[in-house]
Amino acid sequence: MFDVSLEDIKLIKEKYVVSTNPLKISLFPPKEKRKYIILCMIVHLFEDNKKYTEKEINEILKVIYIDYVTIRRYLVEYQFLARLDDGSAYWLIEDKNKYLDYLMN
């Protein structure tokens, strides 16, 4: 989707990540590439082959950032998560490890 370098990841971690365990960010970046990198970090918090309720998604995302609704929306928009039309179930679209798996190193 984006050409992401290790320098890009380092910049995002320095500028936006407050904590990695648990993951917390200070701001959800306005630039698309930066959003993508943050979302790649977040998607690793979800399990493969598991269905989540909206409430479960919210509980995971609330820890990360105050505007968890925006993050949830972007996880769907960027096709990290799929959801039923009524929002009653969410799941990973593909193996989360393909999303910049070196990112967390």
Side-chain angles (χ1 to χ4, degrees):
M1 178 174 247
F2 295 97
D3 184 24
V4 176
S5 70
L6 288 173
E7 285 300 313
D8 293 328
I9 294 168
K10 183 179 176 189
L11 171 78
I12 295 306
K13 286 182 175 181
E14 290 172 359
K15 189 168 185 175
Y16 299 102
V17 177
V18 175
S19 167
T20 56
N21 192 16
L23 181 61
K24 292 183 183 191
I25 60 172
S26 59
L27 177 72
F28 193 61
K31 294 188 177 184
E32 298 302 313
K33 183 177 181 178
R34 293 176 180 186
K35 282 180 191 167
Y36 178 73
I37 293 170
I38 292 286
L39 294 171
C40 285
M41 293 174 164
I42 293 170
V43 76
H44 289 270
L45 300 174
F46 298 98
E47 296 176 31
D48 294 324
N49 303 313
K50 180 177 178 178
K51 299 264 183 176
Y52 293 88
T53 65
E54 186 171 288
K55 183 178 179 182
E56 290 171 321
I57 295 287
N58 291 345
E59 289 303 313
I60 292 168
L61 298 180
K62 281 179 185 179
V63 174
I64 298 167
Y65 187 59
I66 194 165
D67 188 2
Y68 59 91
V69 174
T70 295
I71 292 176
R72 187 185 68 225
R73 185 174 53 241
Y74 276 106
L75 284 167
V76 172
E77 186 175 311
Y78 279 64
Q79 298 183 344
F80 289 99
L81 294 178
R83 72 179 199 111
L84 294 178
D85 288 340
D86 65 1
S88 63
Y90 291 77
W91 61 92
L92 283 174
I93 291 179
E94 294 186 30
D95 181 5
K96 66 183 176 204
N97 295 320
K98 85 172 219 167
Y99 298 111
L100 301 176
D101 57 357
Y102 61 88
L103 184 86
M104 300 309 272
N105 296 331

